[in-house]
Amino acid sequence: MIELNLDLAYLSYYYALSTKRINQYAVRDPENIITLETMAGAVTLDKEEFMKLMTHPAKVAKILQLERPKNRYLILKNLNERDLAKILPYLNSEQLAWGLQYFTSEKLEELINKLPTEQVATLVFQHFGMMDILNLMEDDKMNKFLKSDKLEKKDVMKYFEQLDDDKFRAIMMKQFGISMQDKGKGDYIKMIDEMNPDKFLEFLMNFERKDKMELISGLVEINPKYILEFDNEDISKPFMLMDKDKILKTMPVLDPEFLAPMIEELPPELIQVVATQIDPEIFAEILVQEFPDVLMEMLLG
């Protein structure tokens, strides 16, 4: 039996118990009465009335004193891993993210890189821009992006159309020589637009590293979905170079649906600690609806 410090005073108030009434229970059929014995004492109750009481979460929370973290923890210690997984969705992002402190930095990085790519980007963009990501990215990864069949030429042309005249001229002169110096943006746009696919790709591949980084960054700004073309490990590099504490403080930006599976990878004894943060009244509702057998076993032994 879980030895919770039950609120016997509340039970007495709820039932208007008196010595006379308790004595009346003593002469009744033992099957119709129950006696709760706890560290705080004991009380005898009408079993049918008590069972009805156990269907009211607010009263359950009061009787079990679920506002006490210790009481919540003692109950959670008796739930198996599958049952604990039912508790985690009721925690908010901040509560779940708190539990990530129990992972090593290496394991945390592994879990982050298992997230959907857009969620990894959500974390990284809290602190870094696309240029920070690309600065740590290998050239072949950037070239792979530019070769992707998901990259649309119209978006590349949109990037060039909004490019600063002097910057555009410098790019064209690097690739096509001094003859580009006296031409204007319109000439450059027409020239690029008329390139066949192979020539167009060659043109992009020949960008110097910094220009290529700015091109890719601009394309992701034009169409944010392009971030999905990169591997999670490449997107998360600058993020994972931060101190663990700073990483942990960022994790609550994720929705609980992405954080809960991470917490489930902790050992059960640590999941119990994390789950102890659950709101007392919500916990009472879960006990009544999901674990009535645990509730009865806990109270009746």
Side-chain angles (χ1 to χ4, degrees), residues 224-287:
K225 289 185 178 180
Y226 284 144
I227 193 67
L228 302 179
E229 297 305 303
F230 295 101
D231 294 333
N232 286 358
E233 290 78 4
D234 292 317
I235 297 172
S236 68
K237 271 185 182 179
F239 185 73
M240 299 314 307
L241 290 175
M242 296 194 306
D243 292 337
K244 183 179 176 181
D245 285 347
K246 198 167 185 179
I247 292 172
L248 291 173
K249 287 178 181 177
T250 309
M251 297 303 289
V253 303
L254 298 179
D255 290 335
E257 66 177 294
F258 301 109
L259 291 167
M262 294 184 177
I263 297 301
E264 288 179 28
E265 295 204 25
L266 287 170
E269 58 270 20
L270 290 178
I271 299 178
Q272 294 159 3
V273 173
V274 176
T276 298
Q277 299 174 93
I278 191 168
D279 178 87
E281 291 192 10
I282 292 176
F283 191 31
E285 290 180 15
I286 296 172
L287 288 174

Side-chain angles (χ1 to χ4, degrees), residues 163-177 180-181 188 208 211:
L163 198 61
D164 175 80
D165 287 4
D166 291 337
K167 179 69 176 177
F168 204 171
R169 181 175 293 107
I171 289 173
M172 297 301 285
M173 288 181 64
K174 287 174 186 176
Q175 294 214 37
F176 302 107
M180 296 290 109
Q181 186 173 8
Y188 303 148
E208 292 185 352
D211 293 334

Side-chain angles (χ1 to χ4, degrees), residues 15 28 31-34 45-53:
Y15 282 109
R28 293 180 56 182
E31 292 295 320
N32 295 326
I33 62 173
I34 58 175
L45 304 168
D46 178 273
K47 187 172 184 178
E48 184 177 343
E49 286 187 62
F50 182 72
M51 293 302 185
K52 289 179 181 178
L53 174 62

Side-chain angles (χ1 to χ4, degrees), residues 209-220:
R209 179 174 172 86
K210 184 178 179 183
D211 293 334
K212 192 175 291 184
M213 288 167 55
E214 291 176 350
L215 167 62
I216 295 173
S217 180
L219 289 171
V220 173

